[in-house]
Amino acid sequence: MTAGRGATAAPVSAEDAVREVVRVRRSLRVRGTAVTLGLAAAVLAALCGALSYGDVVVPLPDLFATLAGGGNGGTRFVLFDLRIPRALTGLLVGAAFGMSGAVFQTMLRNPLASPDVIGISSGASAAAVVGTMIFGLSGYALSASALGGALLGAALIYALAWRRGVTGYRLVLVGIGVGAVLTSFISYLMTRAKVAEAQQALVWLVGSLNERTWSEVLPLVVAVAVLMPTTLLVARTLRPLELGDETATGLGAHVQWARLGLMGCAVALAGVATAAAGPVAFVAFVAAPIARRLMPARGPALLPAALTGSLIVLVADFVAQHLLGQTQYPVGVVTSVIGAPYLLWLLARTNRVGRGG
């Protein structure tokens, strides 16, 4: 061998290669589990903060004692009638939006593909405004109209985007266009409404957790308990779809049926969340990217995205209630302050690397 050349590296055996792959996968699973547990702990801490702090401060020992069945009548009223319904609504709405956004962005392979960007939330909002201002709906009927509007909006977007199949880029563009039309329709209704009706609708359109009651929380609990496991089950087809339609088809996946099933689950999650609290802006948009950056490996990260969404909504609602002066703002005001700069940064970054228009 020539003096200037180093010795040839010893070949790696198949057994060593398999052992290394197993070690890396185990390490990624451990780190992924640690991130998920950390997010769950952060959500629990935010939930305890939402329940204990307010005009009437409930110390943590009294909080846990009351939740266990003790406590005095005043503490039980503050927690069970005022704070727990609001906090649970925020937790579940954030989880539903977070998982819905993760499904859309992974399925369509586009960071802009979230329910509030591509028109799904606009469909729910338009149906709710029509139900409130024209038909005088409230309560369960109003929630049902919002969910129906989300489903109808999604069906319209899917139908308009169909050209011998649906591609992610076309679906996003069609969704943005449909969302703009629906937003204009909402603005038209608002200008023709009475001041009191318009003010009430505006609070809902921003996204609010104010005055939540158990009658509104329980249907949300049931819906999320059914939809989230169903979404996790259907999401097994997300891995092939991440590789592109042609590759997924080559691997045996039924691309259009898989996409339709995933879209149905994601739309239903966004619809029930919007029906419960209004279209809380940008939660679905930012939750999944944050969760994926925290996770050690690439992938849908549906459960971490749901936990991140819950954390965002709980923290934003705490800020809106207690940290912005004497006025209590709707939670959507704070999430918009978080999400809008991220959207501008994402658009600027996309254009800079040559992937935008």
Side-chain angles (χ1 to χ4, degrees):
M1 180 177 294
T2 306
R5 298 178 182 175
T8 303
V12 179
S13 66
E15 183 179 351
D16 291 338
V18 170
R19 189 180 297 112
E20 179 63 17
V21 170
V22 171
R23 185 192 67 79
V24 171
R25 287 183 175 177
R26 184 183 299 116
S27 175
L28 292 177
R29 281 198 302 269
V30 170
R31 289 173 58 191
T33 302
V35 169
T36 303
L37 292 176
L39 286 171
V43 170
L44 180 60
L47 184 62
C48 290
L51 296 179
S52 63
Y53 188 78
D55 293 335
V56 177
V57 177
V58 180
L60 289 180
D62 294 344
L63 170 63
F64 296 138
T66 304
L67 293 177
N72 56 48
T75 303
R76 286 196 294 270
F77 172 77
V78 168
L79 289 179
F80 288 102
D81 289 357
L82 300 179
R83 294 184 184 171
I84 292 180
R86 179 178 187 137
L88 275 181
T89 301
L91 186 149
L92 295 173
V93 163
F97 274 131
M99 184 171 287
S100 176
V103 170
F104 270 113
Q105 291 170 348
T106 305
M107 175 181 65
L108 302 178
R109 294 183 296 155
N110 192 320
L112 293 175
S114 71
D116 44 355
V117 174
I118 64 172
I120 307 300
S121 296
S122 297
S125 300
V129 170
V130 169
T132 300
M133 294 186 175
I134 297 178
F135 298 104
L137 300 181
S138 61
Y140 289 132
L142 180 61
S143 298
S145 68
L147 177 58
L151 296 173
L152 288 175
L156 176 62
I157 293 167
Y158 196 87
L160 292 175
W162 179 271
R163 295 292 185 277
R164 297 181 181 177
V166 174
T167 61
Y169 185 72
R170 185 165 59 240
L171 189 108
V172 170
L173 290 179
V174 171
I176 292 173
V178 171
V181 172
L182 291 172
T183 301
S184 299
F185 177 66
I186 293 170
S187 299
Y188 169 75
L189 291 178
M190 295 283 284
T191 58
R192 294 178 59 87
K194 297 179 180 179
V195 175
E197 294 176 343
Q199 186 175 12
Q200 182 181 4
L202 183 60
V203 173
W204 189 88
L205 287 171
V206 173
S208 175
L209 302 177
N210 295 338
E211 301 178 356
R212 299 298 100 177
T213 63
W214 285 108
S215 62
E216 296 163 317
V217 174
L218 293 179
L220 178 62
V221 171
V222 174
V224 171
V226 172
L227 288 172
M228 288 188 70
T230 303
T231 304
L232 292 172
L233 183 65
V234 177
R236 291 182 298 178
T237 59
L238 270 176
R239 288 288 189 181
L241 291 179
E242 284 187 278
L243 303 175
D245 291 359
E246 293 183 1
T247 304
T249 302
L251 293 173
H254 300 285
V255 173
Q256 298 305 326
W257 284 110
R259 183 172 285 137
L260 190 60
L262 287 165
M263 188 171 177
C265 291
V267 168
L269 283 169
V272 298
T274 305
V280 184
F282 292 112
V283 176
F285 183 60
V286 302
I290 293 174
R292 280 194 290 267
R293 284 183 176 274
L294 294 174
M295 294 296 288
R298 296 186 60 182
L302 297 189
L303 186 57
L307 291 171
T308 303
S310 295
L311 183 61
I312 290 172
V313 174
L314 288 173
V315 172
D317 189 51
F318 187 89
V319 172
Q321 285 189 84
H322 307 299
L323 302 183
L324 297 178
Q326 299 299 319
T327 303
Q328 292 191 7
Y329 293 92
V331 64
V333 172
V334 179
T335 59
S336 296
V337 172
I338 297 171
Y342 173 73
L343 174 60
L344 295 174
W345 173 83
L346 180 63
L347 291 173
R349 179 176 177 271
T350 301
N351 284 332
R352 199 162 50 240
V353 298
R355 290 180 294 168

